[in-house]
Amino acid sequence: MKARLVLLIALVAFIAAIAGVWLGRHFFPQPAPAGVELHDVLHSKLDLDDRQKRQIDLLEKRFAVRRQALELELRADNARLADAIEAEHGNGPQVAAAVDRSHQAMGELQKETLGHIFAMRQTLRPDQAKTFDQAVVHALTDDVR
């Protein structure tokens, strides 16, 4: 009898958890990440011609390779930071150096991303560039404004 009661409580708790997740996603959807929104504007709202599509596709393929390399560098930096924290158990010189390396890689990723955005912008007509610029500004300031 006791086992059945425990099983029933566990089942009710599981169903309540699933319902809670569903309700949370339904009534409080998460905003799309800035890159997704910008990508949507670029590919769905700017009426790109075939030449622009080819140019942007090439830029995106090149950037994907570079971004992956920088993200791998960030992961390696995080591993070095973890090692430094484990070795020093505090905010010592190894930790500080690892943080600085990580910040340098983050900055490089941000610069490369901006370079990619500006390169894509160069393929656009002035009317398209205006819409694109607004999407970029919105992506960068959505949580701030």
Side-chain angles (χ1 to χ4, degrees), residues 2-18:
K2 206 173 201 183
R4 279 188 172 177
L5 182 59
V6 169
L7 184 60
L8 179 63
I9 291 171
L11 182 61
V12 169
F14 177 74
I15 291 170
I18 296 294

Side-chain angles (χ1 to χ4, degrees), residues 61-120:
K61 286 178 182 174
R62 288 179 183 163
F63 180 65
V65 171
R66 183 66 181 134
R67 183 182 66 224
Q68 183 178 17
L70 289 168
E71 287 173 351
L72 288 172
E73 188 177 330
L74 278 170
R75 285 188 192 139
D77 287 339
N78 284 340
R80 284 189 285 274
L81 176 58
D83 289 344
I85 289 170
E86 190 172 50
E88 292 184 323
H89 301 288
N91 197 14
Q94 291 177 30
V95 170
V99 168
D100 289 343
R101 277 193 305 270
S102 177
H103 286 175
Q104 185 176 0
M106 283 185 229
E108 189 62 31
L109 178 58
Q110 187 174 32
K111 288 175 188 176
E112 294 277 342
T113 301
L114 288 171
H116 172 62
I117 287 170
F118 295 138
M120 289 189 300

Side-chain angles (χ1 to χ4, degrees), residues 1 6 12 16-17 22 29 32 36 44 56 66 77 93 96 112 114 117 129 136-137 144:
M1 181 70 174
V6 169
V12 169
W22 183 83
V36 172
S44 300
I56 289 172
R66 183 66 181 134
D77 287 339
E112 294 277 342
L114 288 171
I117 287 170
V136 169
V137 168
V144 179

Side-chain angles (χ1 to χ4, degrees), residues 6-52:
V6 169
L7 184 60
L8 179 63
I9 291 171
L11 182 61
V12 169
F14 177 74
I15 291 170
I18 296 294
V21 169
W22 183 83
L23 287 170
R25 288 181 180 216
H26 181 72
F27 290 108
F28 304 105
Q30 296 295 313
V36 172
E37 182 181 334
L38 192 57
H39 189 268
D40 182 53
V41 167
L42 185 63
H43 291 285
S44 300
K45 298 185 174 136
L46 294 183
D47 192 31
L48 301 173
D49 61 35
D50 289 339
R51 179 191 57 81
Q52 289 173 312

